[in-house]
Amino acid sequence: MPGFASKHAALISLAFVSLASLAPISVAAQPQVDSQYGPLPVFELHSGFWINLHHTLYQQARQSRDGRGGPSAPSAPARRTAAERAAWDAAVFYYQANYADKDLLFNTELMLLKNQLGDLENCDELSGAKQKFCDAGLNPKLTKILEGAAAVYRAHEWPEHDRANRNWIAGVAPLVREKGLGLAERLSEVYQARWPREKIRVDVAAYANWAGAYTTLDPLRVLISSTDPRNQGSAALEVLFHEASHGIAEPVQQAIIRECRQREKAIPRDLWHALIFYTTGEVIKPVLSEQAGAANHDPVYTPYAVRERLYQRGWDDYLKLLTRFWQPYLDGRVTFDDAIAHIVSAL
Ligand SMILES: [Zn+2]
């Protein structure tokens, strides 16, 4: 989330239903979570097997590289058989050699792999040996590595990860159902952008990246960690809309760039990101405060960037500019163009 920076669900579900009548349902072949909680507006939430395996391996490979944990660490589950340990360690080593130094958000290969593994959530293999549509077209070595690790993951961590993902989804689903459409409309209006016609696909995984969530574009897809402490409780709703804003707030970035060029100023790094943090927080605050008030909780919601002290880490000046020049726009007192022009001229 503090990063720098579809396939249609119904089709997957239909394909799954028709095959389910022919073949026994394997543990991996759980349908997306949507079908259990009913369709939600705006977002389509998934707890997918392969994408969770992928992020778990990536996480362990990074830890292993950094000398924290890894294959031979004492935290590795002792109940694995020798064969399971060998398959798992081979996968972690493969990830360490090939992916641990690449960024999940900025590396094209990792982005494509993530999207593909998300699409194949209903498959119990990746080679197409049993079902042709499950042929991921990955290099044979990677297919073998992932399928080997899959059996271990399915037997050990996956049930717990899947449960955490589903709990996270169940926690945020009522708010999305009740407030999602209104928030999406408000944010599109603020950013002067069209909200995507299709629901935004969100993959929920035990591990995301260092930020706890990230979003890749073309196609717009969000990945959120269900276990990251920053993403819990009512913050889950803000994380969803912050990440979605990465996909729709492009006009703001364009306007900042345009104004900077006109004034021959350097384009400030992260101003756009600070702006979407600020905006999501302000737009969501009344919604969550109202919720909290009704439930007799602390009646004022503290936005993510305030709570996680993002402004104090070098964004203090941005916060001053946003409060002074962007807030009046959110309050309907100045135009979008004027607000951006004021911010940039004060830089
Ligand atoms: Zn972000």
Side-chain angles (χ1 to χ4, degrees):
M1 177 148 165
F4 298 102
S6 77
K7 183 184 287 187
H8 201 274
L11 292 179
I12 301 175
S13 301
L14 284 175
F16 176 74
V17 168
S18 59
L19 286 162
S21 55
L22 304 173
I25 298 168
S26 79
V27 178
Q30 295 281 345
Q32 59 178 70
V33 174
D34 262 9
S35 55
Q36 294 207 342
Y37 296 98
L40 295 170
V42 185
F43 296 108
E44 177 189 299
L45 301 160
H46 296 243
S47 171
F49 176 80
W50 295 104
I51 206 165
N52 269 267
L53 170 62
H54 173 64
H55 285 82
T56 300
L57 287 171
Y58 179 84
Q59 161 91 356
Q60 291 204 4
R62 300 262 288 194
Q63 287 183 340
S64 178
R65 178 198 65 179
D66 301 341
R68 300 177 288 121
S72 52
S75 61
R79 60 192 196 281
R80 287 178 188 170
T81 65
E84 285 179 333
R85 268 203 305 278
W88 188 258
D89 287 0
V92 174
F93 281 128
Y94 185 91
Y95 268 63
Q96 200 180 329
N98 293 281
Y99 301 131
D101 294 327
K102 294 173 182 163
D103 191 282
L104 286 166
L105 175 58
F106 294 114
N107 182 271
T108 308
E109 184 190 357
L110 281 175
M111 182 188 94
L112 293 174
L113 180 57
K114 172 201 55 122
N115 287 346
Q116 199 169 17
L117 293 175
D119 287 340
L120 297 178
E121 66 190 349
N122 292 336
C123 292
D124 58 10
E125 38 104 23
L126 298 174
S127 60
K130 287 185 236 164
Q131 290 162 343
K132 221 173 167 55
F133 73 88
C134 292
D135 181 358
L138 304 175
N139 82 55
K141 171 90 175 151
L142 178 58
T143 301
K144 195 160 167 268
I145 285 287
L146 283 171
E147 289 188 346
V152 185
Y153 185 57
R154 205 173 279 139
H156 298 282
E157 290 95 339
W158 169 240
E160 196 184 314
H161 289 176
D162 188 39
R163 206 174 311 122
N165 298 340
R166 285 165 191 270
N167 283 340
W168 191 88
I169 291 168
V172 79
L175 278 172
V176 172
R177 189 170 292 119
E178 194 183 336
K179 306 289 183 186
L181 215 51
L183 286 169
E185 278 166 8
R186 174 69 180 132
L187 287 170
S188 328
E189 178 189 89
V190 167
Y191 296 133
Q192 308 208 325
R194 193 191 297 272
W195 196 271
R197 208 170 320 174
E198 288 197 2
K199 289 180 191 177
I200 298 173
R201 179 181 173 122
V202 179
D203 283 289
V204 183
Y207 304 105
N209 62 345
W210 62 273
Y214 68 99
T215 295
T216 52
L217 307 178
D218 305 314
L220 170 58
R221 288 196 181 183
V222 174
L223 192 128
I224 297 179
S225 161
S226 62
T227 61
D228 191 296
R230 294 168 290 185
N231 301 342
Q232 306 304 315
S234 44
L237 189 73
E238 184 179 353
V239 174
L240 271 175
F241 279 96
H242 171 87
E243 291 303 325
S245 298
H246 273 264
I248 65 152
E250 183 65 18
V252 177
Q253 196 157 22
Q254 292 311 321
I256 292 171
I257 292 170
R258 195 181 55 235
E259 291 295 328
C260 286
R261 293 219 169 110
Q262 273 173 16
R263 291 171 171 76
E264 296 182 339
K265 289 186 172 186
I267 296 156
R269 186 182 155 90
D270 297 336
L271 171 59
W272 172 78
H273 202 197
L275 185 146
I276 67 168
F277 265 114
Y278 182 88
T279 305
T280 319
E282 288 304 311
V283 166
I284 236 158
K285 202 156 65 177
V287 168
L288 286 176
S289 299
E290 175 198 317
Q291 266 329 93
N296 276 333
H297 292 141
D298 182 5
V300 179
Y301 175 75
T302 307
Y304 185 103
V306 175
R307 195 183 65 246
E308 300 298 332
R309 307 173 70 82
L310 298 187
Y311 298 121
Q312 282 94 326
R313 291 188 227 143
W315 286 2
D316 245 346
D317 290 344
Y318 292 160
L319 178 60
K320 286 191 195 111
L321 293 177
L322 292 167
T323 312
R324 185 155 171 219
F325 300 117
W326 186 247
Q327 186 61 50
Y329 167 62
L330 294 180
D331 294 339
R333 290 187 279 119
V334 299
T335 66
F336 175 92
D337 287 339
D338 283 349
I340 299 284
H342 289 150
I343 291 172
V344 172
S345 57
L347 277 168

